[in-house]
Amino acid sequence: MILILVPNTQPDSPEYKQLMCRLDALPGISTRVHKEMGAEQSLTEVYLIGNTKALSIEDVSGFPCVDRVVRVSEEYRVLGRHKDDDRPTYFTYNGVNFGQDTLNVFAGLCAVDTLEHVEMMMKALRENNQVCTRMGAYKPRTSPYAFQGHGKACLPYVFDLAGKYGIKVIAMEITHESHLEEIRNALFQTGNATGVMLQIGTRNTQNFELLKIVGRQQDFPVLIKRGFGITLDESLNAAEYLASEGNRKVIFGLRGMKTNMGDPHRNFVDFSHVPVVKRLTRMPVCIDPSHSVGTRAESPDGLLDIMQATAQGIIAGANMVLVDFHPAPSKALVDGPQALLMKELPHFLEDIQLVRETYEKRVALAQRYLEQSTLN
Ligand code: PEP
Ligand code: MN
């Protein structure tokens, strides 16, 4: 059960103390308090953990500082969608809005290699009015002999260039807790020239200790990828680890599943699960067509499979696209064969726009039919 308190309820107020005193006296129930500082008001949610079945909504909704009560199912307590749950499905980070009804494109380098390539990418993004990108500094690689990313050495120039070209959010995978501090320090040294969305890669989806550490900080939002060989439920529980530790600025990423059934693509594209995740949870949903498809294969109609898969995710309501581009794919140190070319950026963005407009029209159409059927 979640008690959503009246905005700006102070912990030292008599109303709050009265409520907590009553909750403390409930046998077999403990509480966990989550506080969110918004621009205009503070919001407090009190989670009741334990056997709350015997507790009725009326028992707790009568307290003056309780605004609403939500009875949650066992699964995904914080991030899940529950009955009569009108908690928000969006957040803002560094001036960019993320939600279940927004769309942001993160086109960029899978792995940072040279300063020149980073600058070419950022410049192209600005020319195409983009404020988000992806830049890999810490790369989890299958082979220990493969390029592991430049790590903290590249952060100062990546962040400086992001500031120069108006990039507000960079998605960046971390694989170890020490990377968090390295990113924090580099951002500070560049005068917070940009913002970072931490990425938990598919190989670390169930690295619970990393999830707890990333969940305990609220400076950066987190993109967590679905584990490539586990169930959707297991991956959603992994996302819940982040939120249960305090960070709710979480985006869930679909990136394809590891199975030979998906051949000749690198992974089996799972973007039909976009609406499923939006129904089960309040998280915005990201699609990664590059790591799903993994090739620049093109069909006779002139469309790359990566663009087809992107459209499939967007038409299903995806909220974020994470996609590999590179100014010179043959020179890329990671995943060159799946990178789109700089000159393909305007086409890619226009295609996304087209499909997004169609998705919005489909939502309006569904709404119209729903209204008609309730009138009849
Ligand atoms: C990536 O986005 O660079 C990446 C390694 O993705 P994934 O974790 O989905 O393999
Ligand atoms: Mn990659």
Side-chain angles (χ1 to χ4, degrees), residues 239-253:
E240 184 73 12
Y241 260 91
L242 298 164
S244 74
E245 293 292 335
N247 193 341
R248 288 139 176 245
K249 294 180 176 162
V250 183
I251 296 182
F252 190 77

Side-chain angles (χ1 to χ4, degrees), residues 172-342:
M172 182 174 278
E173 178 166 358
I174 62 164
T175 57
H176 189 268
E177 61 178 287
S178 58
H179 302 157
L180 200 53
E181 217 38 48
E182 291 175 6
I183 289 173
R184 241 191 219 115
N185 290 340
L187 278 176
F188 181 73
Q189 278 158 19
T190 57
N192 291 312
T194 186
V196 170
M197 175 181 289
L198 302 174
Q199 186 177 321
I200 302 288
T202 195
R203 292 159 189 81
N204 273 316
T205 306
Q206 286 190 312
N207 183 341
F208 300 118
E209 297 312 312
L210 182 63
L211 295 178
K212 285 185 204 164
I213 285 157
V214 171
R216 265 174 225 143
Q217 62 76 41
Q218 293 191 36
D219 298 341
F220 307 110
V222 188
L223 165 65
I224 180 167
K225 298 262 196 106
R226 178 181 192 169
F228 55 32
I230 57 176
T231 64
L232 182 63
D233 174 58
E234 286 162 339
S235 291
L236 295 177
N237 268 301
E240 184 73 12
Y241 260 91
L242 298 164
S244 74
E245 293 292 335
N247 193 341
R248 288 139 176 245
K249 294 180 176 162
V250 183
I251 296 182
F252 190 77
L254 297 172
R255 47 82 69 212
M257 303 299 292
K258 213 173 179 63
T259 157
N260 287 342
M261 306 292 270
D263 289 353
H265 290 159
R266 181 170 171 180
N267 287 290
F268 199 91
V269 181
D270 56 350
F271 299 167
S272 55
H273 284 179
V274 168
V276 179
V277 178
K278 289 172 84 171
R279 180 166 70 236
L280 292 174
T281 78
R282 294 176 297 116
M283 286 185 279
V285 181
C286 172
I287 51 165
D288 177 343
S290 304
H291 290 84
S292 303
V293 171
T295 84
R296 288 183 47 85
E298 187 179 324
S299 55
D301 58 13
L303 286 159
L304 295 174
D305 287 11
I306 290 178
M307 288 175 71
Q308 294 280 19
T310 305
Q312 287 155 14
I314 303 285
I315 201 78
N319 307 112
M320 173 171 161
V321 183
L322 189 75
V323 58
D324 292 359
F325 272 77
H326 200 283
S330 62
K331 294 193 189 142
L333 298 176
V334 184
D335 287 347
Q338 70 191 23
L340 299 181
L341 312 174
M342 253 3 64

